[in-house]
Amino acid sequence: MLDEPKYFSLLNIFSHYSPTLSTSPTYSASTLSRFLSSSNFDPLPLIQNLTEGLIGKLASSLSHNTPVFLIADTTLLRKTGSKIEGVNRLWDPSSKRVVLAHRALVIMLSANNLRIPIHVQLLQSLKPADALINVLGKLLPELKTLFPKLVFLCDAGLTCNRLLNFLTLQEIDFVCAVSQGRVDVDTGEKLRDLWFPEPEEIRLSGVSKSVYAYRLNEGTDRERVVISNRRLSKKKFGSYYRQRWQVESEIRTLKASGLESYMVRRLRAIELWIKAVWHVTLLRLVSRLEGFNFKELLLSLVYPPSVVAIA
């Protein structure tokens, strides 16, 4: 495939932590820019092979009783110009203002201090919750087989009644924060007006089964109403939900590798850029686990072994 060497040259650029389309060992910056904008090369099969290998390695290293966390979150990829395709005015909760940005969905698998980004997607027409449900529908059958103690985690920004109903029908354990404006069907009261000093059973509109709610970090700026399909202890509610913060670290890692540093305008080029960053993050993880020299690993994708040995 003609585009494959150019794509792997692009990966070599992302081996540095400040990715820019500067000169590459084999292709100039302008050549790579044209490649990003015009290529139909799809690296997703390569990425899926890496994620399947990492997931298999994780599954073989765990006992059946070890909890494994499937964590989802969205992040803003902020841009300064409105000429980039698909840029929208979106609310940024961290700066509490509207910014120009794309939104991306990140899903990771975590256990025993190993974090694997198993899905990174630029969101356009789909709402974040709908995109998440679509992806989970494809991922969960295999993951539930491999990890009997799988627990799904997400924050209130992604949690909606459609997602909760999907999770209950899939019979997967979950611990999710919810908007405190949601209403308990039985009492007719908003969750912000209910105390939940102990985990309590509630019913939400459109969710086929009852769920259990508990108020975490009461009286602080990190106060949350967190719900689960199981009546967990207060300690487990807190310890499980704290695992959700790992996805924030993974998003920072992806951004450090260039997730929002794209300098191209077309959506197709942006999507290829994002897949390349995701691919490099997985390769870096593989090289760490298997003891490879990361930069040599990337060079070996472009050059024959004799050239790599000289380099």
Side-chain angles (χ1 to χ4, degrees):
M1 189 177 293
L2 291 175
D3 279 344
E4 195 166 0
K6 294 179 183 177
Y7 173 74
F8 287 127
S9 291
L10 176 65
L11 295 194
N12 271 285
I13 289 174
F14 289 121
S15 67
H16 306 285
Y17 274 98
S18 19
T20 54
L21 280 175
S22 58
T23 56
S24 136
T26 48
Y27 296 97
S28 67
S30 59
T31 302
L32 286 171
S33 294
R34 285 195 299 273
F35 165 71
L36 278 165
S37 300
S38 61
S39 173
N40 290 319
F41 181 74
D42 185 6
L44 201 53
L46 299 170
I47 292 170
Q48 287 172 340
N49 284 339
L50 280 174
T51 54
E52 287 169 7
L54 287 165
I55 289 170
K57 187 180 290 290
L58 178 63
S60 64
S61 68
L62 299 176
S63 70
H64 283 291
N65 294 324
T66 305
V68 177
F69 299 99
L70 182 65
I71 315 171
D73 201 3
T74 58
T75 185
L76 295 184
L77 309 178
R78 286 181 282 189
K79 297 286 104 184
T80 55
S82 58
K83 291 184 179 180
I84 297 175
E85 287 184 11
V87 163
N88 291 309
R89 295 186 177 275
L90 301 171
W91 175 254
D92 180 6
S94 60
S95 61
K96 297 185 178 177
R97 61 189 180 91
V98 174
V99 297
L100 284 173
H102 290 115
R103 180 180 276 118
L105 172 67
V106 177
I107 304 175
M108 59 163 281
L109 201 63
S110 171
N112 284 0
N113 297 317
L114 179 63
R115 301 197 306 259
I116 307 171
I118 61 173
H119 187 80
V120 183
Q121 175 186 357
L122 186 70
L123 298 177
Q124 287 304 311
S125 55
L126 279 177
K127 292 182 179 179
D130 293 332
L132 177 58
I133 289 169
N134 288 344
V135 176
L136 290 179
K138 298 172 185 175
L139 293 176
L140 285 178
E142 181 182 1
L143 292 179
K144 287 194 299 180
T145 302
L146 290 171
F147 306 109
K149 298 281 286 183
L150 187 67
V151 182
F152 176 77
L153 310 173
C154 75
D155 204 4
L158 270 173
T159 307
C160 65
N161 290 6
R162 293 192 316 282
L163 175 62
L164 295 175
N165 191 54
F166 169 80
L167 294 171
T168 56
L169 292 175
Q170 290 287 316
E171 298 182 343
I172 178 176
D173 291 347
F174 61 85
V175 177
C176 301
V178 293
S179 162
Q180 297 192 46
R182 296 194 182 280
V183 175
D184 178 3
V185 172
D186 290 336
T187 64
E189 294 185 82
K190 293 183 177 179
L191 300 188
R192 69 169 63 95
D193 300 322
L194 298 172
W195 206 241
F196 305 126
E198 299 286 336
E200 294 180 18
E201 187 174 0
I202 63 170
R203 291 181 60 243
L204 298 172
S205 175
V207 182
S208 57
K209 297 180 182 178
S210 297
V211 292
Y212 299 92
Y214 177 60
R215 190 177 295 274
L216 285 178
N217 304 315
E218 179 191 333
T220 70
D221 59 352
R222 297 174 69 178
E223 183 174 307
R224 297 282 190 279
V225 172
V226 180
I227 64 173
S228 176
N229 60 317
R230 295 191 179 277
R231 190 190 290 274
L232 302 172
S233 66
K234 293 190 288 186
K235 183 177 180 180
K236 266 201 171 168
F237 256 111
S239 65
Y240 277 11
Y241 186 69
R242 279 193 295 275
Q243 298 290 331
R244 194 204 70 82
W245 290 99
Q246 292 187 68
V247 76
E248 306 285 354
S249 298
E250 192 59 34
I251 287 171
R252 284 195 292 273
T253 299
L254 288 163
K255 287 189 173 182
S257 296
L259 188 67
E260 66 178 348
S261 302
Y262 43 88
M263 296 170 287
V264 285
R265 292 183 177 180
R266 293 179 59 185
L267 277 174
R268 163 64 196 163
I270 295 166
E271 288 170 349
L272 183 54
W273 180 291
I274 287 171
K275 286 176 183 175
V277 174
W278 178 20
H279 195 172
V280 163
T281 303
L282 291 169
L283 285 170
R284 186 177 282 117
L285 180 57
V286 168
S287 68
R288 193 181 81 224
L289 291 176
E290 299 187 4
F292 293 130
N293 180 297
F294 174 58
K295 291 187 179 180
E296 282 184 13
L297 175 63
L298 284 182
L299 285 172
S300 70
L301 299 173
V302 182
Y303 296 110
S306 59
V307 177
V308 174
I310 295 170

